[in-house]
Amino acid sequence: MPRTDSRGPSDDLDMVVLDKRTAADGVVVVELEHEGGDELPAWSPGAHVDLVLDDDLVRQYSLCGDPGNRRSWRIGVLRKAGGRGGSLRVHDDLQTGDKVRCRGPRNNFELVEAAEYVFVAGGIGITPILPMIAECAAAERPWRLAYGGRARESMAFVDELEQHGNRVTLWPQDRAGLIDLATELGASRPDVAVYCCGPEPLIDAVDEHCGTWPPGSLHVERFRPAAVVSTEGDTAFEVVCDYSDVIVGVLPGMSVVQALRDAGVDVPTSCGEGTCGTCETVVLDGVPDHRDSYLTAEEHASNEVMTPCCSRSCTPRLVLDL
């Protein structure tokens, strides 16, 4: 079924930077409030917001503060010198008092009900995990965290996490090496939810370790697509926008979003890689060629929704609810 509850508010929010501070080497924490002092939309652990840094520069950042605080939002941003420019804009240009637009929140990484939780975070991947831990602690649910990073100095929120005592194990790579997943995750067992966010090698390692666990045990959030999809053999196809009565041709090397925008049909996007779900669109007819790392295997199989920023079509014609 389409994720009718995951996309959240889509209207732009006029925000102002309430505070910006260094949280670790290469990491800043930014607190945002509504420009007019209005109460902010509700959110739950695992949610992210889109930070609109420019008309063509939109980036997603996990909310890592307190969901009960409706006056401000907190995000953590890792500086990526070789990235696509969003983190550099936040680190170098965004200052306290600056105005910025936000969209969301959306939650593609919700905390499910389980008897036990194991959290595995790498680097800035700790941000969506923080409010999950707070919720588990408040509800007195069994949990523990393995948190890795290049060095302790690069690991944000350590002081905050160490208040939880031995439930938290830090794995600074320069001192302790990589996270020992066999120790931290243990053997397969029922009713355990494993949440992992961080660099792709960490996610792949956790995925491999949990390969024999009960289906649905592992929940991940990726910064990048799970795999590079070959575009060799891509062919043209037609997209029909049922609502706006527009028909466009999508050529090889062109995304559905690009073709639609050229025809005057705007589709909200953010990552452009099929990881965030911002562009999730209902499919009314045709079979998508799913190339995202956002939808579940079940959602891929159902063909009820697609991510037009990166996915294409297996049939000559797609009809979308646009």
Side-chain angles (χ1 to χ4, degrees), residues 49-133:
V49 293
D50 296 343
L51 204 61
V52 184
L53 299 164
D54 209 335
D55 289 341
D56 59 350
L57 188 61
V58 182
R59 296 292 180 266
Q60 312 85 45
Y61 297 105
S62 297
L63 292 171
C64 58
D66 176 8
N69 178 6
R70 301 287 296 276
R71 309 311 306 182
S72 67
W73 286 340
R74 182 176 75 164
I75 60 173
V77 181
L78 171 67
R79 184 183 183 91
K80 297 180 181 178
R84 296 177 296 160
S87 69
L88 299 184
R89 181 73 63 86
V90 172
H91 274 254
D92 296 341
D93 299 334
L94 201 64
Q95 302 297 328
T96 300
D98 284 355
K99 297 178 182 179
V100 65
R101 283 182 294 149
C102 285
R103 295 178 188 141
R106 299 180 179 87
N107 200 336
N108 318 322
F109 197 41
E110 295 179 344
L111 193 64
V112 300
E113 290 292 331
E116 178 189 350
Y117 298 86
V118 181
F119 301 107
V120 182
I124 200 63
I126 190 62
T127 50
I129 302 297
L130 287 172
M132 294 183 182
I133 288 173

Side-chain angles (χ1 to χ4, degrees), residues 237-299:
F237 58 95
E238 183 179 80
V239 170
V240 178
C241 300
D242 184 70
Y243 179 79
S244 55
D245 198 26
V246 171
I247 301 176
V248 301
V250 183
L251 301 175
M254 172 187 290
S255 71
V256 174
V257 165
Q258 180 185 345
L260 290 172
R261 285 180 175 169
D262 289 346
V265 179
D266 185 51
V267 180
T269 61
S270 186
C271 71
E273 299 176 320
T275 58
C276 74
T278 300
C279 67
E280 181 185 333
T281 302
V282 173
V283 178
L284 301 176
D285 192 29
V287 179
D289 177 8
H290 297 288
R291 301 184 178 186
D292 64 279
S293 298
Y294 164 70
L295 299 174
T296 65
E298 292 77 14
E299 287 170 323

Side-chain angles (χ1 to χ4, degrees), residues 110-117 135-136 139 141 190-195 216-217 219:
E110 295 179 344
L111 193 64
V112 300
E113 290 292 331
E116 178 189 350
Y117 298 86
E135 181 169 308
C136 288
R141 300 175 182 175
D191 208 15
V192 177
V194 179
Y195 279 80
S217 298
H219 308 263

